[in-house]
Amino acid sequence: MTATNVVLGLCAFTHDSAAGLLVDGDLAGFAEEERLTGDKHTAAYPDRAVAWLLDTAGIGPASVDVVAYNFDGRRYLDALPATELFARIPETQERAQPRADSFRKVHDRFTARMTELRSRFPHARMAPVLHHRAHGLYAFASSEYDAAAVLVVDSLGEVQSTTIGSGLRLSDGGCRTVVSEDITDPASLGYAYGAVTEHLGWRRGDEEGTVMALAALGDPGRFRPLMREAIVLTEAGFALNPRWFPLRVLARGYPRVSAEFVAATCPSRDPAAPVEPVHADLAAALQERTEEVMVHLARRARAVTGMRLLCVGGGVAANCVAVGKIVEAGIFDEVHVPPAPGDSGTAIGAALAVSLDAGRWLPTGVAGRCYLGPAYTGLTLPEHPRPGLSAYRPAVPAKHLAIKLAEGYTVGLFHDALEAGPRALGNRSILASPLLPDVVDRLNATVKFREPFRPFAPVVLASAARDYFTLPQPAPFMSIASGVTDLTRDKLPTVVHVNNTARVQTVTPHANPFLAQVLAEFAALTGHPVLINTSLNVKGKPICGTPDMAMDCLTGSGLDALMLEGWWVTKC
């Protein structure tokens, strides 16, 4: 059958490049470019992701009707009218003109990007979409809610950093989303979190999760007054104090924390330097304030929309501890975070927006789905797929894997379609038994090669989740930090972080039959349907999206084995 309407959604030229494809009102697939190239957070045009999508759909570039882009670069000029005001304020006057110049430059760069995309898809219409609209639409459409409040919090989308609105599925198959309130630059929670992440010696836009983990080891009281002065709550949201977080300039050479901030906290940490108590204390104060702001915004969303369900999108939605605080506060009956809450997911959101603007119904294939990328289910391996590796195919792969995990093996799992987003959700995972007392130290030191204070997330059969975790709702995308029960503290302390929480993933046989079978087989052997689940990668590398990348991970780390599309691969 020939496709009659093809919309290609793109996140490209900024970071976390990705592509999603709608064919005749159905999501045909989605992939993040880094998973196919090995270049983490790549800003390149997603050549391989687009090629895979078009090949899967059986079409070429000439068949694409619309290219939906995840920013509307024309709106960067909206930042310019505030220049005169910033020039009159002592704390911002030095950066007022550089800020304006940088936003104008990004606007001009956007025009060049649209020209490049037209050359790649000469028969397609270019459709830029407001960044926060793309975030919000994807957050809502990926839920299975009929109506919900929608909260988007990130660093910057054109000029917006935070939006509060709602989504509603219509009886005719359509969808209506509304933004009721927004917060614009320079007030940005994502900007502040990234600034402190960089100051603490980790990569901004990549390692905020490390700072979130470190926060559990610190005392927030030490820098609490500073952080409350730096990030100020307002009736409708929050603001940043330029005394501590200088005005944003979209160019290199402009520090994101002030000299006064450095003097009041600590010198900027070299990434190779030891992590000291002062760094943990600063991380703790930042994380505490982030949680307070996110709960405040959630309360505002409830008040503005009157909705009982909440969808959260944007990069700050990846802060699972803050999302857990929203759930814990009981503001909403349930909270949903999409599998790809960051910018990559806006490739889907932009395509959804274009489809809805054309008067069509809300596309299918989005709600509840995370396994959207390339699969290699027909893979056949020789006895020695690489020098130093051996492979054979067990009769019952899930049972074989469970037995090996119960014996203490640490195993990479590469199975079926690639998951979307930053969390490994069982198809590109490293699994280990939580019953091994040294498993966390061993995983951090010899497999992942990362900081010793980093925790590991548990995956649990949804039917048994309440025996182990206090979270009152499903968590299929590992997006929410949960409290733990006495059973977990007593029997499975390796999955509990020092703040007494765990970022849990709940799994049903319907959502992931293979992983659910592994958990059931492991429970039959050990009594616990719980495993450690971390991403199939090492520090600094993206999640492995191809068989070759998975075998690289096996040979280059302390993994004991790799279950690769049903093949058991080990080092000779």
Side-chain angles (χ1 to χ4, degrees):
M1 177 182 286
T2 302
T4 59
N5 183 262
V6 178
V7 180
L8 177 66
L10 291 179
C11 171
F13 311 124
T14 53
H15 56 85
D16 297 313
S17 293
L21 189 70
L22 299 179
V23 178
D24 293 334
D26 182 69
L27 181 62
F30 165 82
E32 289 147 302
E33 187 74 359
E34 66 170 22
R35 313 287 163 84
L36 307 178
T37 66
D39 182 10
K40 193 171 186 182
H41 298 301
T42 181
Y45 171 80
D47 265 311
R48 296 191 189 184
V50 171
W52 169 73
L53 286 165
L54 297 181
D55 182 65
T56 299
I59 60 176
S63 297
V64 175
D65 297 297
V66 186
V67 173
Y69 187 63
N70 68 327
F71 282 95
D72 186 346
R74 298 166 297 188
R75 298 294 297 273
Y76 281 102
L77 296 181
D78 292 351
L80 303 188
T83 305
E84 185 177 341
L85 172 64
F86 290 134
R88 292 199 302 265
I89 300 172
E91 292 88 352
T92 58
Q93 60 186 196
E94 185 178 337
R95 292 195 178 193
Q97 193 57 51
R99 173 184 186 270
D101 294 341
S102 73
F103 274 81
R104 188 178 288 108
K105 184 175 181 178
V106 172
H107 165 270
D108 296 343
R109 193 181 298 149
F110 166 80
T111 303
R113 289 168 179 169
M114 292 300 99
T115 300
E116 178 181 341
L117 293 179
R118 286 189 190 95
S119 70
R120 291 178 180 272
F121 301 95
H123 303 297
R125 176 173 64 89
M126 298 298 116
V129 174
L130 276 174
H131 190 65
H132 271 235
R133 185 183 181 208
H135 268 308
L137 255 178
Y138 173 55
F140 178 66
S142 64
S143 78
E144 299 181 87
Y145 302 155
D146 291 327
V150 180
L151 171 64
V152 177
V153 188
D154 67 358
S155 180
L156 183 68
E158 296 91 23
V159 296
Q160 293 173 318
S161 73
T162 306
T163 50
I164 292 173
S166 59
L168 178 67
R169 295 179 195 266
L170 305 177
S171 58
D172 62 0
C175 173
R176 182 169 65 245
T177 58
V178 176
V179 172
S180 303
E181 295 183 349
D182 69 357
I183 298 171
T184 59
D185 185 77
S188 168
L189 194 56
Y191 178 86
Y193 210 104
V196 179
T197 294
E198 191 170 60
H199 179 65
L200 288 172
W202 285 284
R203 293 186 300 275
R204 173 171 51 84
D206 179 24
E207 296 184 297
E208 282 83 353
T210 303
V211 174
M212 182 180 67
L214 177 64
L217 280 69
D219 173 13
R222 182 173 180 179
F223 296 114
R224 182 179 290 135
L226 183 154
M227 208 55 69
R228 288 183 174 177
E229 185 180 326
I231 306 174
V232 181
L233 292 183
T234 66
E235 181 181 352
F238 66 96
L240 294 191
N241 185 337
R243 175 187 174 192
W244 305 109
F245 294 114
L247 200 63
R248 183 200 308 259
V249 178
L250 301 175
R252 297 183 184 276
Y254 290 86
R256 294 188 170 211
V257 297
S258 66
E260 193 168 357
F261 183 96
V262 175
T265 58
C266 60
S268 180
R269 175 182 161 270
D270 185 278
V275 177
E276 299 175 359
V278 66
H279 304 132
D281 291 346
L282 182 56
L286 171 70
Q287 177 63 29
E288 179 185 73
R289 194 55 169 166
T290 298
E291 294 163 13
E292 291 170 349
V293 173
M294 288 294 283
V295 170
H296 180 63
L297 290 170
R299 293 191 189 281
R300 182 68 182 178
R302 178 65 191 268
V304 167
T305 68
M307 300 289 189
R308 299 183 63 87
L309 302 169
L310 175 68
C311 300
V312 189
V316 182
N319 193 305
C320 63
V321 179
V323 176
K325 293 294 184 183
I326 294 173
V327 173
E328 190 178 278
I331 304 164
F332 293 91
D333 294 346
E334 193 169 290
V335 177
H336 167 78
V337 179
D343 277 8
S344 66
T346 59
I348 297 175
L352 297 176
V354 166
S355 183
L356 288 169
D357 287 348
R360 298 182 179 87
W361 56 89
L362 184 66
T364 56
V366 183
R369 293 184 65 202
C370 65
Y371 306 109
L372 298 166
Y376 301 82
T377 50
L379 182 70
T380 300
L381 294 181
E383 183 180 355
H384 297 287
R386 285 187 182 182
L389 295 182
S390 295
Y392 76 95
R393 194 173 184 90
V396 186
K399 185 170 186 175
H400 180 85
L401 176 54
I403 291 170
K404 292 300 183 181
L405 291 167
E407 290 175 354
Y409 278 57
T410 299
V411 184
L413 175 58
F414 187 107
H415 177 79
D416 206 5
L418 174 64
E419 51 264 76
R423 319 292 191 205
L425 300 173
N427 284 10
R428 302 293 187 272
S429 290
I430 292 172
L431 301 179
S433 169
L435 298 168
L436 305 174
D438 65 340
V439 66
V440 171
D441 291 341
R442 182 157 54 87
L443 281 169
N444 274 326
T446 68
V447 178
K448 301 286 283 188
F449 306 117
R450 65 185 200 181
E451 297 84 359
F453 57 81
R454 298 279 295 275
F456 288 95
V459 57
V460 62
L461 281 175
S463 57
R466 294 204 175 187
D467 294 336
Y468 296 90
F469 305 100
T470 62
L471 187 68
Q473 66 167 82
F477 306 135
M478 202 187 281
S479 304
I480 308 169
S482 169
V484 299
T485 65
D486 290 341
L487 174 63
T488 302
R489 275 187 291 269
D490 182 39
K491 300 297 185 182
L492 308 174
T494 56
V495 302
V496 184
H497 196 27
V498 293
N499 61 2
N500 214 30
T501 68
R503 189 185 69 206
V504 61
Q505 177 194 2
T506 56
V507 174
T508 65
H510 172 75
N512 193 320
F514 186 83
L515 182 58
Q517 185 182 354
V518 173
L519 287 163
E521 295 283 2
F522 186 78
L525 295 166
T526 67
H528 301 287
V530 183
L531 287 166
I532 286 176
N533 176 16
T534 187
S535 53
L536 184 58
N537 68 329
V538 298
K539 182 178 168 66
K541 295 288 186 180
I543 293 174
C544 299
T546 69
D548 278 339
M549 292 169 72
M551 284 191 279
D552 287 343
C553 190
L554 172 62
T555 58
S557 75
L559 278 177
D560 297 314
L562 172 68
M563 180 63 80
L564 177 56
E565 292 298 352
W567 293 86
W568 185 251
V569 186
T570 57
K571 301 166 188 173
C572 297

